[in-house]
Amino acid sequence: MLPASLLVIERGWLSSNSILFLEGEGAAVIDSGYVAHAAQTVALVDNGLAGRRLCRLLNTHSHSDHIGGNAALTAAFGCRVIVPQGIDAMIAEWDEEALLLSPLGQSAARFHHDATIAAGDEVELGGLCWRTIAVPGHDMDALAFYNPEQRLLISGDALWRNGFGVVFSELLRHPEGAGGLRAARETLDELARLPIDVVIPGHGAPFVEVGDAFERAYQRLASFEADVELLARHALKVMLAFALMERRQLARAELPAFLARLTFCRSVNARYLQHSDETLAHWLVRDLVRAGAVREADGMLLAV
Ligand SMILES: [Zn+2]
């Protein structure tokens, strides 16, 4: 299904996939997982390298589960780091707000990048020529990588087998206006025009059911467009599920205060839901338990 020069390292949902490109004596990798898995990322990449030298690390976008292992990979292998042009400043200044670290209660190890890559650039990875495509929506500065010969798309969080990453940008209200959902639709339209045989998503296994994935993504997008409150609720559930995956557990009694400390949660709640902290905690737990993402035992919330 995939060229032999390309290796997908897939783990649980906390860490994004890493895609390793073997290039003779050298290698490159796209995305580095979450910081809590950094040592594992280094070990997995080292294993995949099989004696080759990791020369370049590229990122699809700035989220913690895609850049968390950057510092560890550069320390271990001395590779150059190349990030999407739009996140150049927030990485250089390590703007935890813009990087959505502090607002979501997430962590990443600070790293320095060596170069940027922009939409429309061409980059050779694993002996194949890839064109970078702007895929705003989930993240307004995100890039996807497309190889026309093999009809391969590395989609990051813009397209998954079942949906796409939370359209944070719609809920954040950047100074230039929201527009995240509109951007997500334009992104799907642009990607759907490409001849694609295999998608390598940012999370989950590579897949060939491309038409079905687009259908699901459009359905999901339409439901958010029809009711942005649905997106707000979805975003908070994803945020809490992620926090529990990272922490493994959290006392149920502490949840209202925990949620109140996260600025993203506070502002989304104030704008769209207007729940008390306790009510918010109550329905979040109820929905996540129902969805099978969280378990409650002895007053503790546990990731499933
Ligand atoms: Zn993301």
Side-chain angles (χ1 to χ4, degrees):
M1 184 161 98
L2 294 172
S5 65
L6 208 157
L7 222 99
V8 179
I9 301 171
E10 185 198 349
R11 286 173 280 178
W13 211 256
L14 186 64
S15 277
S16 71
N17 293 336
S18 291
I19 303 148
L20 193 58
F21 300 88
L22 308 177
E23 310 172 322
E25 303 287 292
V29 67
I30 288 184
D31 286 343
S32 65
Y34 193 67
V35 66
H37 290 164
Q40 186 193 51
T41 305
V42 170
L44 289 169
V45 167
D46 192 39
N47 187 51
L49 287 171
R52 295 177 187 83
R53 201 168 79 80
L54 185 69
C55 305
R56 290 173 296 164
L57 162 60
L58 299 90
N59 292 115
T60 54
H61 64 294
S62 65
H63 291 160
S64 67
D65 53 334
H66 295 254
I67 63 165
N70 278 21
L73 286 178
T74 52
F77 303 110
C79 51
R80 284 163 50 79
V81 179
I82 302 152
V83 302
Q85 195 168 54
I87 67 170
D88 182 43
M90 63 179 92
I91 295 289
E93 292 153 21
W94 201 248
D95 181 343
E96 298 220 347
E97 184 85 26
L99 290 168
L100 285 187
L101 295 172
S102 47
L104 298 174
Q106 297 177 4
S107 317
R110 185 169 186 170
F111 65 92
H112 298 280
H113 63 284
D114 303 285
T116 60
I117 187 166
D121 284 356
E122 293 205 330
V123 56
E124 201 179 313
L125 294 163
L128 298 168
C129 186
W130 302 77
R131 183 161 58 82
T132 50
I133 302 169
V135 287
H138 163 68
D139 178 291
M140 292 309 264
D141 304 303
L143 295 176
F145 297 79
Y146 178 65
N147 172 258
E149 288 78 35
Q150 304 276 337
R151 297 158 63 113
L152 287 174
L153 177 73
I154 295 170
S155 59
D157 291 348
L159 178 70
W160 294 338
R161 178 66 186 86
N162 192 5
F164 43 79
V166 174
V167 184
F168 288 108
S169 47
E170 181 69 28
L171 304 170
L172 286 166
R173 301 279 165 108
H174 290 291
E176 65 269 25
L181 286 174
R182 200 180 59 229
R185 178 165 286 277
E186 285 164 9
T187 286
L188 286 182
D189 289 347
E190 164 127 27
L191 295 180
R193 277 195 291 271
L194 299 171
I196 300 170
D197 288 342
V198 185
V199 175
I200 305 170
H203 298 267
F207 60 87
V208 296
E209 300 86 348
V210 181
D212 186 61
F214 275 113
E215 206 169 298
R216 285 172 190 227
Y218 274 116
Q219 267 169 19
R220 175 158 280 221
L221 183 64
S223 71
F224 293 144
E225 286 168 338
D227 181 5
V228 74
E229 194 184 305
L230 206 68
L231 175 65
R233 290 178 181 275
H234 172 64
L236 294 185
K237 281 189 267 184
V238 168
M239 182 202 73
L240 180 56
F242 191 93
L244 285 172
M245 273 192 289
E246 180 187 1
R247 288 165 181 80
R248 305 308 308 165
Q249 57 176 26
L250 184 72
R252 169 65 182 83
E254 285 170 24
L255 184 58
F258 173 80
L259 295 171
R261 279 198 299 275
L262 303 176
T263 55
F264 176 76
C265 184
R266 269 212 312 275
S267 74
V268 167
N269 185 30
R271 187 173 297 139
Y272 298 100
L273 307 173
Q274 294 106 35
H275 288 319
S276 69
D277 293 340
E278 181 48 48
T279 305
L280 188 66
H282 175 79
W283 79 250
L284 270 170
V285 170
R286 189 200 58 194
D287 276 26
L288 286 174
V289 167
R290 250 184 219 162
V294 169
R295 200 157 57 80
E296 206 175 348
D298 304 323
M300 300 301 288
L301 301 171
L302 308 160
V304 173

